[in-house]
């Protein structure tokens, strides 16, 4: 019999619909892989019973001849940033340890309604703040990949959606949800040789998603190929009256719109992304990508995004500013941890709870955010950053008068070893240099695997599209996927 | 602009995070390194540029001013609202005594 855990979303859905195997068999197989992979620490909580219950419902619906949903019979991993009714939701923090929401996030509800089941809640960087999964209160996620140097160095699965990327790459789930604030879907996808797309800001509801930086946060799918991403994004996206920034637009049929033919399309290559001292393997994969898109019929055009170098510092003002405001809600009163020292008053309780409940990176960002928003500094930092953000967005608008999509590397390097960068916050932040600009402009962007570097580790290529043009991004991603022929997978050691 | 120990202690107090003297000492160089780096934004000419407020052009919708307009987020949810509270009392959130 086929090993169903090697199948992706489309193949599982089709196999279940045709009766090649039951949804229950699929859920059981993935439950077993999840249970056997505790070394990777990808899941904070496993929910095998929920996966089985959803599968049984799909099997019963099929037997009764009912129409099946877009994700029918597909068990998935849910990033632990999405509120799931009755199941612990922590954002990988101590302050929310034990928190069981009494409601379901819109995105997760849409996925269950489409017939998906939940294998468990995936580990992440605490409050999605990090690029390596070293800031989780529940311990580091370990990438299933290893370098081909014979060493056993534990590698970062990327962040913040590192539990998601590790789980998909290690065949613990065919697909998982991610969220992307400055690259948290794309960079982990690149590090682990999978695909992931951040849609246009507002496509997926943020209702019930633990907030980090509200003007940037956007959910999206992570899966093994472009088609699976298209299917899952269709199931996740859509207008939600409960999120005031949700886009009131119909969800396009991205899966049926897939086409790798790029004739008549123009692909922009931003010259500012070709940085001094760029990693040779990354530069080569970018050149490969250019050749593949040409082969797919596209015309390559040189473009300029002149404010690129200011994107990261802009992000590291705006994201912490919004985080400091969003995370003010964790005060030990309404939910989560409460630390009440002997004889303490209300203010002392807040301060003790937050000192105990937040990890170092979260505190660092709250303090930066509080500083840049404080009296006397607001204009110099925050208003200036919002103006530079406008310029970055204008750069993209201008570029999209010359091209349809933009091709760039996803990250400046392949996966690094855990501990390698965690001592220097600034060096860690620089890892997001290619992913942050599209986030600041709210644009759809995707990472697809492009090949392996000299150490045998995956590299990703990023496609950035104009607002609302997920289809253009997915199609260019498909054109690359077909030519890259990426079939590598991590050798099982866990 | 750079921060000193007193400033870090003041920010931590504004952010309602208790910090020890040792933590403040460690944070001063870290925050200064990050702030020095973000200050490069000062060199960008932003004359005539409006600060960005909406990422994607969108109009803010207001909900109908109706109690319980949405059954999921409307009223009559006391038990659900209190379900995760660390110290609920008599149907309220319990907090330490504020007024002596």
């Amino acid at each position: 019999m086929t090993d169903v855990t090697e199948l992706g979303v489309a193949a599982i859905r089709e196999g279940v619909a045709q009766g090649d195997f039951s949804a229950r068999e699929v859920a059981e197989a993935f439950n077993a892989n999840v249970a056997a992979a505790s070394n990777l620490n990808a899941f904070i909580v496993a929910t095998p019973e929920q996966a089985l219950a959803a599968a049984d419902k799909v099997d019963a619906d099929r037997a009764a001849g009912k129409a099946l949903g877009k994700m029918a019979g597909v068990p998935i991993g849910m990033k632990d940033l999405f509120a799931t009714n009755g199941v612990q939701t922590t954002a990988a923090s101590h302050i929310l340890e034990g928190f069981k929401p009494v409601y379901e996030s819109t995105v997760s509800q849409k996925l269950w309604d489409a017939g998906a089941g939940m294998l468990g809640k995936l580990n992440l960087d605490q409050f999605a703040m990090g690029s390596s999964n070293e800031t989780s209160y529940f311990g580091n996620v370990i990438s299933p990949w290893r370098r081909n140097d014979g060493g056993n160095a534990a590698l970062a699965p990327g962040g913040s959606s590192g539990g998601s990327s590790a789980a998909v790459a290690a065949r613990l789930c065919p697909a998982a949800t991610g969220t992307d604030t400055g690259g948290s879907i794309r960079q982990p996808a690149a590090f682990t040789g999978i695909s992931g797309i951040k849609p246009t800001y507002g496509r997926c509801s943020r209702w019930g998603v633990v907030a980090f930086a509200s003007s940037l946060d956007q959910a999206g799918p992570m899966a093994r190929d472009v088609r699976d991403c298209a299917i899952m994004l269709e199931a996740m996206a859509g207008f939600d009256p409960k999120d005031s920034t949700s886009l009131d637009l119909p969800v396009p049929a991205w899966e049926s719109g897939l086409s790798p033919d790029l004739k008549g399309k123009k692909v922009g290559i931003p010259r500012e992304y070709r940085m001094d001292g760029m990693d040779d393997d990354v530069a080569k994969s970018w050149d490969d990508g250019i050749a593949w898109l040409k082969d797919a019929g596209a015309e390559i055009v040189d473009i300029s995004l002149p404010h690129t170098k200011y994107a990261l510092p802009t992000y590291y003002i705006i994201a912490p500013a919004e985080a400091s405001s969003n995370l003010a809600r964790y005060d030990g009163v309404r939910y989560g941890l409460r630390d009440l020292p002997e004889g303490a008053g209300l203010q002392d309780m807040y301060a003790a709870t937050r000192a105990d409940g937040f990890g170092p990176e979260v505190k660092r960002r709250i303090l930066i955010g509080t500083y840049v928003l404080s009296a006397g500094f607001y204009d110099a930092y925050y208003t200036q950053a919002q103006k530079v953000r406008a310029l970055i967005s204008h750069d993209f608008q201008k570029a999209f008068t010359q091209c349809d999509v933009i091709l760039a590397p996803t990250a400046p390097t392949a996966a690094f070893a855990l501990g390698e960068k965690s001592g220097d916050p600034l060096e860690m932040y620089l890892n997001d240099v290619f992913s942050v600009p599209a986030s600041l402009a709210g644009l759809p962007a995707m990472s697809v695997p492009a090949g392996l570097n000299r150490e045998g580790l995956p590299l990703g290529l990023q496609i950035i599209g104009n607002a609302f043009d997920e289809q253009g991004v997915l199609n260019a991603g498909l054109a690359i996927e077909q030519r890259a022929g990426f079939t590598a997978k991590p050798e099982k050691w866990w | 602009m750079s921060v000193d120990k007193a400033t870090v202690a003041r920010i931590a107090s504004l952010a309602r995070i208790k910090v020890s003297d040792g933590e403040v000492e460690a944070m001063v160089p870290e925050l200064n390194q990050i702030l020095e780096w973000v200050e490069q934004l000062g060199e960008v000419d932003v004359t005539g540029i409006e600060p960005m407020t909406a990422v994607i052009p969108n109009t803010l919708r207001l909900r109908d001013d109706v109690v319980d307009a949405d059954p999921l987020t409307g009223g009559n949810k006391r038990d659900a609202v209190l379900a995760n509270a660390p110290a609920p009392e008599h149907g309220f959130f319990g907090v330490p005594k504020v007024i002596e």
Side-chain angles (χ1 to χ4, degrees):
Chain A
M1 199 196 127
T2 8
D3 176 2
V4 291
T5 64
E6 287 298 327
L7 303 179
V9 173
I12 291 172
R13 182 183 63 176
E14 197 174 315
V16 167
Q18 289 177 352
D20 299 342
F21 38 76
S22 67
R24 190 177 181 87
E25 286 171 79
V26 176
E28 281 172 348
F30 280 106
N31 278 341
N33 279 10
V34 170
S38 55
N39 286 343
L40 301 177
N41 201 29
F43 283 84
I44 296 176
V45 172
T47 55
E49 298 302 322
Q50 301 224 353
L52 292 176
D56 288 345
K57 186 170 180 304
V58 168
D59 287 334
D61 282 352
R62 181 177 176 271
K66 289 188 191 164
L68 300 180
K70 284 187 206 311
M71 298 281 292
V74 182
I76 57 169
M78 185 60 61
K79 187 176 183 179
D80 197 26
L81 207 62
F82 293 85
T84 42
N85 197 352
V87 178
Q88 178 181 262
T89 299
T90 65
S93 72
H94 181 38
I95 209 160
L96 276 175
E97 196 176 7
F99 173 66
K100 285 188 180 170
V102 288
Y103 54 91
E104 188 77 27
S105 82
T106 298
V107 160
S108 56
Q109 186 63 53
K110 280 177 177 286
L111 288 164
W112 315 145
D113 291 347
M118 180 163 73
L119 293 159
K121 300 299 290 288
L122 291 159
N123 207 345
L124 65 149
D125 275 298
Q126 190 168 144
F127 285 105
M129 297 178 190
S131 307
S132 66
N133 259 262
E134 290 170 280
T135 72
S136 168
Y137 178 71
F138 300 95
N140 301 341
V141 177
I142 318 269
S143 172
W145 289 86
R146 282 180 167 173
R147 290 179 180 137
N148 59 11
D149 58 5
N152 291 335
L155 301 180
S160 66
S161 309
S164 307
S165 65
V168 172
R171 274 62 178 163
L172 312 186
C173 51
T177 51
T179 62
D180 193 309
T181 302
S184 282
I185 287 175
R186 290 161 282 157
Q187 183 253 24
F191 275 18
T192 56
I194 65 166
S195 299
I197 180 167
K198 177 201 94 77
T200 308
Y201 179 82
R203 273 280 190 212
C204 291
S205 170
R206 292 183 297 109
W207 195 82
V209 184
V210 176
F212 162 16
S214 305
S215 77
L216 294 153
D217 297 345
Q218 191 54 212
M222 300 171 74
R224 278 184 232 133
D225 64 31
V226 172
R227 184 174 177 208
D228 286 0
C229 284
I231 294 170
M232 191 163 158
L233 185 59
E234 271 184 49
M236 295 167 72
F239 175 61
D240 181 6
K242 294 203 287 293
D243 172 2
S244 65
T245 56
S246 169
L247 290 169
D248 194 356
L249 294 173
V251 178
W254 289 306
E255 185 195 6
S256 61
L258 283 175
S259 161
D261 181 3
L262 303 186
K263 262 192 229 58
K265 297 288 178 191
K266 289 182 179 172
V267 176
I269 307 298
R271 68 178 82 111
E272 290 80 6
Y273 282 47
R274 192 149 318 248
M275 291 174 176
D276 291 342
M278 189 172 204
D279 181 282
D280 289 346
D281 288 336
V282 171
K284 185 189 173 296
S285 79
W286 196 7
D287 291 338
D288 287 343
I290 292 170
W292 291 329
L293 293 180
K294 253 190 220 166
D295 183 59
E299 183 191 335
I300 305 297
V301 293
D302 177 55
I303 58 161
S304 174
L305 298 168
H307 295 89
T308 296
K309 74 173 272 210
Y310 300 108
L312 264 185
T314 300
Y315 177 83
Y316 278 98
I317 290 175
I318 290 169
E322 294 185 13
S324 72
S325 168
N326 271 326
L327 271 60
R329 72 189 67 179
Y330 304 102
D331 55 10
V333 173
R334 287 151 301 164
Y335 39 74
L337 184 76
R338 168 178 290 194
D339 189 351
L340 183 59
E342 186 67 32
L346 193 59
Q347 298 288 342
D348 304 323
M349 184 190 85
Y350 294 154
T353 299
R354 290 162 63 79
D356 190 23
F358 292 137
E361 180 60 27
V362 175
K363 286 184 198 170
R364 188 179 291 130
R365 296 203 196 184
I366 290 176
L367 292 181
I368 292 274
T370 305
Y371 182 69
V372 300
L373 291 179
S374 65
F377 299 108
Y378 185 93
D379 280 336
Y381 287 110
Y382 187 71
T383 308
Q384 179 76 6
Q386 289 288 54
K387 289 180 178 174
V388 178
R389 186 179 187 180
L391 290 171
I392 290 165
S393 185
H394 296 166
D395 284 355
F396 278 110
Q397 283 164 20
K398 196 169 158 222
F400 285 120
T401 63
Q402 299 165 275
C403 65
D404 299 287
V405 291
I406 293 169
L407 179 74
T410 308
T413 62
F416 45 84
L418 291 167
E420 209 168 81
K421 292 180 195 277
S422 50
D424 183 347
L426 203 51
E427 203 194 330
M428 186 69 89
Y429 296 172
L430 295 174
N431 211 258
D432 299 328
V433 61
F434 297 132
S435 56
V436 153
S439 294
L440 287 170
L443 302 173
M446 163 164 224
S447 180
V448 290
L452 300 175
N453 75 353
R454 69 184 92 84
E455 295 175 312
L457 298 180
L459 294 172
L461 280 173
Q462 180 181 211
I463 303 121
I464 303 168
N466 205 349
F468 317 111
D469 187 23
E470 286 82 2
Q471 192 74 63
V473 172
L474 290 161
N475 287 353
L478 186 63
I480 290 175
E481 178 179 279
Q482 291 185 349
R483 285 160 183 83
F486 185 89
T487 52
K489 60 174 202 169
E491 212 166 299
K492 192 168 185 300
W493 53 264
W494 54 93
Chain B
M1 285 173 274
S2 67
V3 295
D4 55 16
K5 275 162 64 175
T7 313
V8 172
R10 193 178 61 86
I11 306 166
S13 142
L14 286 173
R16 308 274 186 271
I17 297 176
K18 192 177 161 194
V19 284
S20 67
D21 288 347
E23 283 173 309
V24 170
E25 198 135 351
M27 281 171 190
V28 168
E30 259 178 27
L31 296 191
N32 275 330
Q33 194 199 3
I34 296 168
L35 289 170
E36 193 187 321
W37 172 68
V38 298
E39 268 161 27
Q40 60 177 297
L41 293 189
E43 73 196 42
V44 184
D45 180 7
V46 292
T47 318
I49 303 295
E50 285 296 310
M52 189 157 163
T53 47
V55 191
I56 297 293
N58 202 350
T59 43
L60 188 63
R61 294 175 300 275
L62 296 176
R63 195 184 67 181
D64 291 340
D65 187 14
V66 177
V67 177
D68 252 346
D70 185 314
L72 198 53
T73 55
N76 295 322
K77 289 271 161 195
R78 189 177 74 180
D79 292 346
V81 166
L82 289 172
N84 280 284
E89 272 182 68
H90 318 298
F92 296 97
F93 294 111
V95 295
K97 192 153 72 171
V98 179
I99 302 166
E100 289 300 330

